[in-house]
Amino acid sequence: VASRCSQCLQSPRMDLCHVPATREKGWYLALMAPNIKGPNYAWLDPSRLYCHPQGLQDCVADLLQPFQGDPIDMVAGIDAMGFILGAAAAATLRKGFLAIRKAGHLCVQTLEQPYTDYSGRDKVMEVRTDAITPSLRILLVDQWVETGGTMRAAIQLVERLGGVVAALRPPRVPTGVAAICIEDSEGGRWIQEHYKCSHCVPPRLQPRFDRHQ
């Protein structure tokens, strides 16, 4: 064990070799770092979790578990942090990965969708038009769903191109939406009411995440 640990990248504040003896769902949430820079930043930084090899693997496995056996043709990740989890999920499933971008970055034909993000800023996202064919079954992945505006815009883009993002009502195919946390906001509830969803926060901790604690 000591030999293996000596090969790991470490810092005084993160031991990338430590794995708890009992790995309950969501154990890796404790790896995330709190905001120390004030209100202009998100309240929590999940990217610290991705530095931990077992934490990242277990996070992706938990996100995909509800979709076992579901037909998924492609994974789409939302700019920018959704690229990390989305690409990891696509690799695990051995499916292709589609990047849904903030507007202005793609040099090919795109479809655009305006939206308002969690901070209240009006933005535009875009997706290439040649990757989604009618009835293609998409798993949409983002790092976090706070107000739901960003995820809803991504859903609209996919569905405008004829893709299927997994509504709960038949005859839709049950693939859908995955994020580390889906907060109990108006937008978060709307997404969970209409689409099959997966997230990593245990029910006992959900109220704390909703209050940004």
Side-chain angles (χ1 to χ4, degrees):
V1 173
S3 176
R4 289 199 303 271
C5 285
S6 66
Q7 298 174 7
C8 291
L9 294 175
Q10 298 186 44
S11 74
R13 299 188 180 182
M14 178 185 285
D15 180 358
L16 299 184
C17 298
H18 175 70
V19 177
T22 302
R23 305 202 315 268
E24 298 179 353
K25 178 181 177 179
W27 70 269
Y28 41 79
L29 297 174
L31 296 167
M32 299 189 295
N35 172 10
I36 61 170
K37 291 189 174 181
N40 291 330
Y41 295 84
W43 71 280
L44 192 66
D45 175 28
S47 67
R48 190 171 184 264
L49 185 164
Y50 309 145
C51 300
H52 193 291
Q54 191 64 57
L56 177 59
Q57 290 181 52
D58 288 357
C59 177
V60 172
D62 287 342
L63 286 176
L64 294 178
Q65 194 281 328
F67 301 106
Q68 286 187 4
D70 291 349
I72 297 173
D73 298 317
M74 180 182 289
V75 178
I78 301 175
D79 199 343
M81 300 306 289
F83 293 168
I84 299 170
L85 287 177
T92 300
L93 294 171
R94 298 189 177 184
K95 300 296 180 179
F97 174 77
L98 174 65
I100 297 180
R101 303 297 308 273
K102 294 170 185 172
H105 294 288
L106 291 171
C107 63
V108 296
Q109 184 176 354
T110 61
L111 184 67
E112 295 186 347
Q113 179 66 44
Y115 68 103
T116 303
D117 73 1
Y118 71 94
S119 67
R121 291 176 290 184
D122 293 330
K123 296 183 177 180
V124 178
M125 68 172 56
E126 65 182 0
V127 66
R128 61 187 310 131
T129 59
D130 58 357
I132 298 177
T133 55
S135 300
L136 195 74
R137 295 160 298 198
I138 306 291
L139 175 62
L140 265 171
V141 180
D142 202 2
Q143 177 172 264
W144 210 269
V145 175
E146 190 167 331
T147 62
T150 303
M151 180 60 75
R152 193 164 183 174
I155 291 170
Q156 290 171 321
L157 280 176
V158 170
E159 293 183 342
R160 286 171 62 191
L161 289 171
V164 177
V165 188
L168 291 175
R169 306 188 191 92
R172 297 284 187 160
V173 180
T175 51
V177 171
I180 292 176
C181 177
I182 302 177
E183 294 187 18
D184 186 27
S185 60
E186 181 179 353
R189 288 191 297 272
W190 184 90
I191 291 169
Q192 293 189 84
E193 288 166 3
H194 290 83
Y195 296 87
K196 184 172 182 178
C197 294
S198 172
H199 65 94
C200 301
V201 179
R204 61 184 176 82
L205 294 179
Q206 186 69 47
R208 295 182 59 184
F209 279 80
D210 294 334
R211 293 192 298 265
H212 292 185
Q213 296 177 340

